[in-house]
Amino acid sequence: GAEMEEARIISWKKKEGDFVEKGDVILEIETDKALMDVEASGAGVLLKRFYQEGEMAPATERVAVLGSAGETADQIES
């Protein structure tokens, strides 16, 4: 939501190395108001997850990196 400041990672539906299509559910989060599925914004390989299940993630922070097979998260982040 527009006023959400952080969310708890409930479960990852994809693991690092998995290929995802745009719209695939990659994780489930819990806000102060609801449980929500988070969908991939694009297609690619899930290269890195920045938060573990049970951790709180700020709403403005990246929680994962998608890229092409053979790329690394470091290549995309720089």
Side-chain angles (χ1 to χ4, degrees), residues 22-78:
K22 182 177 180 178
D24 282 355
V25 174
I26 58 172
L27 71 148
E28 181 182 30
I29 62 170
E30 178 182 40
T31 69
D32 58 345
K33 297 181 182 180
L35 289 175
M36 299 171 33
D37 290 335
V38 177
E39 298 179 351
S41 59
V45 175
L46 179 58
L47 299 175
K48 185 173 184 178
R49 302 186 309 192
F50 294 107
Y51 295 91
Q52 301 302 313
E53 292 178 356
E55 290 185 320
M56 297 298 289
T60 57
E61 294 293 318
R62 183 186 310 200
V63 296
V65 174
L66 291 179
S68 299
E71 282 185 307
T72 66
D74 292 337
Q75 290 172 316
I76 293 171
E77 291 181 88
S78 24

